[in-house]
Amino acid sequence: MTGFIRFNGAPAVRWAPFAANTRTHAEFERAFAEAYGDKKAITELRADVRENATAYIVQFDVPGVAKEDITVDVDEKSVRVEANFKRETVEGDATVLSERADGSVSRAFRLSQAVDAELATARHEHGVLTLTLPKKNVAVQKRLEIN
């Protein structure tokens, strides 16, 4: 079902709620906040998770966040990252346009294989946080001979 939403008698926007390329919940939240002038808040922390034979590599987009404002918790099979986005204000300046978000957001993952938290590393460069999480050696199954 599609149709036009009319504004002052003229078609303004095509309405297609069941289209194949519907938006995600976060995009709807962002659009709603923009339309009604709500304070922008960050609703998601975008990530890529890759795996190779020896480690998981997890990358998070954290543009404009200082490394001191990021916390990373790693245990056997889970990773949790929290980033605190801050927007600086200058006393006496009037805001003409405000599109940058502030607030904190976190993201957690459950991994399929245990990682060695002691050997894990984190690197923050050009607005991207990269975690390298070495996999623990899985115990090799051994068939016992019965005497």
Side-chain angles (χ1 to χ4, degrees):
M1 179 175 176
T2 62
F4 285 102
I5 295 176
R6 297 195 171 271
F7 181 71
N8 291 336
V13 179
R14 179 167 210 102
W15 180 60
F18 303 111
N21 59 352
T22 57
R23 294 182 174 182
T24 65
H25 177 71
E27 289 174 317
F28 275 119
E29 244 181 44
R30 200 174 304 121
F32 184 80
E34 288 174 12
Y36 292 98
D38 292 348
K39 178 182 173 185
K40 295 189 186 329
I42 298 164
T43 58
E44 59 189 19
L45 193 58
R46 295 183 179 175
D48 292 333
V49 181
R50 297 188 325 268
E51 175 183 18
N52 59 36
T54 60
Y56 290 100
I57 296 90
V58 186
Q59 292 182 305
F60 293 92
D61 286 341
V62 288
V65 179
K67 66 181 181 179
E68 296 80 22
D69 294 328
I70 301 172
T71 58
V72 179
D73 297 315
V74 178
D75 69 14
E76 280 269 317
K77 285 190 171 184
S78 67
V79 178
R80 184 176 182 281
V81 173
E82 184 174 351
N84 189 11
F85 290 79
K86 295 179 182 175
R87 186 174 49 190
E88 65 182 55
T89 57
V90 178
E91 189 68 33
D93 287 352
T95 302
V96 176
L97 174 68
S98 177
E99 293 182 341
R100 294 175 45 220
D102 63 345
S104 64
V105 64
S106 66
R107 184 85 186 264
F109 292 102
R110 216 67 202 124
L111 303 169
S112 59
Q113 186 175 338
V115 296
D116 191 344
E118 295 299 319
L119 298 176
T121 61
R123 189 179 76 237
H124 181 262
E125 188 175 38
H126 304 295
V128 177
L129 174 66
T130 303
L131 307 178
T132 304
L133 310 169
K135 295 178 182 178
K136 278 190 177 178
N137 290 333
V138 179
V140 178
Q141 184 178 15
K142 178 183 175 185
R143 180 167 285 177
L144 298 176
E145 205 174 299
I146 302 173
N147 294 328

